[in-house]
Amino acid sequence: RKPEANWGSSAQAQVFVNALKGVQSLTDTAEHVKNYRPKVLVLTGNPAHRPPLVDFANLITKKLSLLICGHVLTEPGSVHLSTLKESTQAWLTDRKIKGFYTVTESNNFEEGAKSCLTLAGLGKLAPNMLLMGFKGDWTQDLGVAKEYFSVLQDAFDLAFSVGILRVRSGLDFSGHIQAEETETNEFVDEDRRGSFVGGLGEPVEGEDGKATGGEDVKSSGSSEGSERKGSEPSDESGDLVPEVPKFKFERQRTRTRTISRSVYHDSQGNPVSKDIVSDMTQFQSAKRSGNIDVWWLYDDGGLTLLLPYILTTRQQFSECKLRVFTLANRKDELDRETRNMAALLAKFRIEFSSVVVIPDVTKRASDASRARLDTLLAKLPQDTIPEEELLANKEKTNRHLRLSELLQAHSKDSEIIFMTLPMPRKGHVSAALYMAWLDIMTENLPPTLLIRGNQTSVLTFYS
């Protein structure tokens, strides 16, 4: 028996050389808008704890671009990094996610995230977009919320595009999952079950009902039932009898189909409920047929339009219709602005079902919306947001409250929403007020991606 050893191969070495040459060639090539691809760094923590965030990022990059899952450990030395890297990369492979995993140790989240932003990738095979989950518990830990806010600012300073994904059930399932197992079942295709097949195309069976093999089938001998060795078979009259054809035996391979599915267990070892599993796998294979709503509020280079278009090329969203919402400058020019936007989308070769121009975004928000904001801010410690800051940002706050009302009116039944992310300007707005804006706008909505490009054009008119 041969020893079970891997001696390596020249082909394996050549894969490395080709990859190195490819990355070097890519780095030496000037970038062009027609070849733009969203290369995503998604801050997942341990990817197994946030499967919807990883699945959504994979929808954007699958067969198209680069995906890197970044993990910041704020307790240095708490885990063995090489083992963590190996097991997490295997988890991505098992889920058929074409991506990479990187981990860094740091004393706080902000420094670790900045390390990922600056060091992830190789040459031009490096991320140009940061994707994060929305921090739903920001009111409970303002220190961490400030770090989260600073990471957004750092990403814009480094010329990254930024996306924030929010779903109703949240993205972190670490409290529900203690272990994940892959259950594999093999189903045998009955029509192709293995059997001995004779040279004439019929299965040959012996007296015991089992297929015989390895010996020729002998003809009946003379009347005495005997046959001399080395002579031709003959009948009673002595004439030669044609030799019975030999049967060639071969075994057909049994064809099986392997079906794998993940089985999740909680801390007590019990299977996780179907509702939780459904939330965890919401961006996997289930087909959708509703609307993808795009709220293009500011010109950020076109990324707010490009990402939903990429989503419509995926099987899960291929039957969804694209609706585009934009804001009007003047109420008396709605028709002209609608035609202009439709013409612009046609130039970009983006198929859409409708264009809606919203005229009254600056209108005063309703008392109910203002009460929601007051309730949210009441959860914060007193004087977290100074009155001076609230007054200075009064118009922006009203605008975001109005957008919240419009989103509830137009998009609450959509499959997914893309909306331009407000800019987190340094010195103009605090982390607490900015997070309150995002929270109010995306509350009780379908999955929502707040996205902001880095002002680099990602769409072109020319074919």
Side-chain angles (χ1 to χ4, degrees):
R1 181 182 175 186
K2 294 182 179 179
E4 295 181 0
N6 180 10
W7 302 106
S9 68
S10 59
Q12 186 176 356
Q14 192 61 37
V15 168
F16 175 83
V17 173
N18 290 341
L20 196 60
K21 286 181 178 178
V23 173
Q24 188 65 58
S25 176
L26 177 67
T27 302
D28 295 340
T29 304
E31 293 182 342
H32 192 277
V33 61
K34 288 184 69 173
N35 297 321
Y36 174 85
R37 295 167 187 269
K39 294 170 285 189
V40 180
L41 169 64
V42 51
L43 295 182
T44 58
N46 188 330
H49 292 167
R50 294 174 177 83
L53 185 59
V54 180
D55 290 336
F56 181 79
N58 187 53
L59 281 175
I60 296 173
T61 62
K62 184 172 60 175
K63 299 181 182 178
L64 176 75
S65 189
L66 173 71
L67 171 62
I68 298 177
C69 295
H71 185 181
V72 179
L73 290 173
T74 55
E75 297 178 4
S78 58
V79 296
H80 194 266
L81 291 186
S82 61
T83 303
L84 178 63
K85 288 180 181 178
E86 185 178 346
S87 61
T88 306
Q89 192 65 51
W91 182 86
L92 293 172
T93 302
D94 291 342
R95 292 177 68 91
K96 296 182 174 59
I97 293 173
K98 303 294 184 183
F100 305 93
Y101 171 75
T102 184
V103 59
T104 184
E105 293 182 328
S106 180
N107 291 323
N108 61 65
F109 173 71
E110 181 185 353
E111 291 180 2
K114 194 166 185 178
S115 296
C116 289
L117 289 168
T118 53
L119 298 175
L122 190 66
K124 285 185 180 173
L125 196 63
N128 55 16
M129 174 181 166
L130 172 68
L131 178 62
M132 303 170 68
F134 178 75
K135 187 165 182 58
D137 60 349
W138 67 272
T139 58
Q140 300 171 19
D141 191 341
L142 290 178
V144 176
K146 289 178 181 178
E147 291 184 4
Y148 182 95
F149 181 71
S150 296
V151 170
L152 298 179
Q153 294 176 328
D154 292 339
F156 283 116
D157 290 343
L158 294 168
F160 274 68
S161 303
V162 175
I164 298 176
L165 179 67
R166 183 177 190 180
V167 297
R168 282 178 181 167
S169 55
L171 295 167
D172 187 359
F173 289 88
S174 57
H176 299 281
I177 307 170
Q178 185 68 21
E180 177 182 355
E181 297 177 358
T182 301
E183 185 179 81
T184 303
N185 296 316
E186 288 193 353
F187 295 87
V188 178
D189 191 340
E190 296 294 338
D191 295 336
R192 294 298 303 274
R193 188 184 292 275
S195 62
F196 287 109
V197 178
L200 298 181
E202 297 293 334
V204 178
E205 297 185 356
E207 292 178 357
D208 58 354
K210 295 182 179 179
T212 61
E215 295 181 0
D216 295 337
V217 179
K218 297 181 180 178
S219 65
S220 58
S222 60
S223 58
E224 289 80 19
S226 63
E227 191 176 82
R228 291 189 307 273
K229 262 189 178 181
S231 64
E232 296 290 336
S234 60
D235 61 7
E236 292 180 356
S237 63
D239 296 329
L240 292 177
V241 177
E243 185 177 355
V244 177
K246 294 181 179 180
F247 288 85
K248 295 180 181 179
F249 296 90
E250 60 182 10
R251 178 177 289 276
Q252 290 183 343
R253 291 182 179 178
T254 301
R255 294 185 63 180
T256 62
R257 293 183 297 115
T258 301
I259 298 178
S260 301
R261 66 187 183 92
S262 295
V263 180
Y264 302 96
H265 300 280
D266 59 19
S267 56
Q268 282 76 37
N270 301 317
V272 175
S273 69
K274 289 183 178 180
D275 291 339
I276 295 176
V277 173
S278 177
D279 291 336
M280 291 170 59
T281 59
Q282 60 184 294
F283 292 116
Q284 292 182 15
S285 58
K287 197 102 171 177
R288 305 183 184 220
S289 58
N291 294 315
I292 298 177
D293 285 356
V294 182
W295 289 74
W296 195 15
L297 308 181
Y298 316 98
D299 181 13
D300 59 351
L303 190 63
T304 308
L305 280 176
L306 178 63
L307 294 186
Y309 169 75
I310 291 174
L311 221 59
T312 60
T313 66
R314 307 305 187 193
Q315 185 177 7
Q316 184 181 1
F317 291 92
S318 59
E319 295 181 2
C320 292
K321 296 178 180 179
L322 210 61
R323 299 192 305 180
V324 179
F325 296 82
T326 187
L327 304 180
N329 294 323
R330 296 178 57 182
K331 193 171 183 179
D332 57 347
E333 295 183 354
L334 292 182
D335 290 342
R336 193 181 75 175
E337 293 202 17
T338 302
R339 289 194 300 269
N340 289 345
M341 177 57 69
L344 182 63
L345 294 174
K347 284 184 178 181
F348 286 144
R349 302 177 298 284
I350 293 178
E351 294 185 6
F352 59 93
S353 64
S354 63
V355 173
V356 180
V357 178
I358 305 295
D360 51 357
V361 71
T362 56
K363 177 180 158 185
R364 189 180 187 278
S366 67
D367 293 338
S369 297
R370 292 179 176 276
R372 284 171 52 215
L373 178 63
D374 292 340
T375 302
L376 181 62
L377 297 182
K379 298 178 182 178
L380 304 176
Q382 193 173 5
D383 297 329
T384 300
I385 305 176
E387 284 294 330
E388 295 80 8
E389 183 184 354
L390 289 173
L391 289 173
N393 292 281
K394 184 178 179 180
E395 290 185 8
K396 289 184 178 179
T397 300
N398 184 78
R399 181 188 181 91
H400 294 122
L401 290 174
R402 279 290 296 142
L403 285 172
S404 171
E405 295 172 1
L406 294 168
L407 284 163
Q408 292 290 340
H410 295 279
S411 300
K412 65 178 180 180
D413 296 323
S414 301
E415 292 294 335
I416 189 169
I417 300 169
F418 290 81
M419 186 170 67
T420 308
L421 176 71
M423 184 65 77
R425 300 189 184 280
K426 289 183 179 179
H428 290 79
V429 60
S430 65
L433 183 56
Y434 183 81
M435 295 299 293
W437 288 347
L438 302 189
D439 202 342
I440 285 291
M441 283 195 298
T442 58
E443 189 180 17
N444 297 324
L445 285 175
T448 303
L449 180 70
L450 298 169
I451 180 71
R452 185 85 178 216
N454 60 359
Q455 304 305 317
T456 300
S457 295
V458 301
L459 297 173
T460 176
F461 290 166
Y462 310 105
S463 58

